[in-house]
Amino acid sequence: MAVTFRQAQRKDVGVILQMIRALAAYERLQDQVTATEAVLEEWLFDKKKARVLFAMVEGREAGFAVYFYNFSTFLGRAGIYLEDLFVLPEFRGRGIGGAILKRLAGIALEEGCGRLEWTCLDWNEPSIRFYLSRGARPMSDWTNYRVEGEALRKLAQE
């Protein structure tokens, strides 16, 4: 089974949203999906704030990665932040997730990036084992913080 890759295009917003919904179902977070095709089109293709890479098998989107560039002040260069990596259930166990991660690492090196990083839900043992087997290591000295919704509005007004 050959896996190929292609960057998402504007015409793919419907497929992207389907993948997002499938990912949310897997993570038991369906109620948190508020993205629409219009929102995705604006933020991915008009504002260009993130990229979507499809893993293709026999002409079909088998999985995807959503990523964007961050910046390391210590390295003095950009890195790639992998927001989500997802493989459709019927394609799992065929090495597609590893192929996606390998392709993203290649993109990072081709573009001179200093790192590739992501977060993973604590309960997601299959993904944690997968990432560890690929040489990833958890950042035990760091804790992610988030401000959103009403807290974000309040912080902006302080």
Side-chain angles (χ1 to χ4, degrees):
M1 173 195 64
V3 179
T4 59
F5 298 96
R6 71 174 183 85
Q7 289 289 332
Q9 299 172 9
R10 188 177 297 272
K11 66 181 181 178
D12 295 315
V13 293
V15 177
I16 296 167
L17 186 55
Q18 289 172 358
M19 289 277 191
I20 291 169
R21 289 181 176 147
L23 169 64
Y26 173 75
E27 292 183 345
R28 303 176 209 133
L29 299 170
Q30 300 96 311
D31 62 322
Q32 294 188 24
V33 177
T34 60
T36 65
E37 288 186 19
V39 167
L40 291 171
E41 186 170 358
E42 176 186 0
W43 286 90
L44 294 174
F45 300 105
D46 295 338
K47 294 182 178 182
K48 299 180 181 183
K49 297 299 182 180
R51 295 183 182 179
V52 177
L53 177 71
F54 285 120
M56 305 294 294
V57 175
E58 298 172 356
R60 183 168 171 223
E61 292 84 4
F64 83 141
V66 178
Y67 66 98
F68 57 88
Y69 295 87
N70 56 16
F71 191 82
S72 168
T73 52
F74 288 0
L75 296 177
R77 64 180 65 207
I80 289 179
Y81 185 84
L82 172 59
E83 178 66 23
D84 285 305
L85 186 157
F86 180 73
V87 176
L88 291 169
E90 61 267 32
F91 290 100
R92 292 186 190 145
R94 301 183 193 180
I96 296 168
I100 293 171
L101 207 54
K102 180 179 176 180
R103 182 65 198 119
L104 287 173
I107 291 169
L109 291 175
E110 290 163 14
E111 296 184 7
C113 295
R115 59 174 66 139
L116 169 62
E117 58 191 341
W118 61 90
T119 59
C120 184
L121 292 167
D122 292 339
W123 61 260
N124 195 342
E125 286 296 325
S127 293
I128 292 169
R129 284 192 304 275
F130 166 74
Y131 294 139
L132 291 173
S133 76
R134 299 311 191 274
R137 60 182 173 81
M139 301 296 294
S140 59
D141 295 340
W142 298 85
T143 300
N144 290 330
Y145 291 88
R146 177 178 294 165
V147 179
E148 61 186 347
E150 184 56 34
L152 180 62
R153 283 185 282 282
K154 187 176 180 180
L155 178 60
Q157 294 174 355
E158 289 182 351

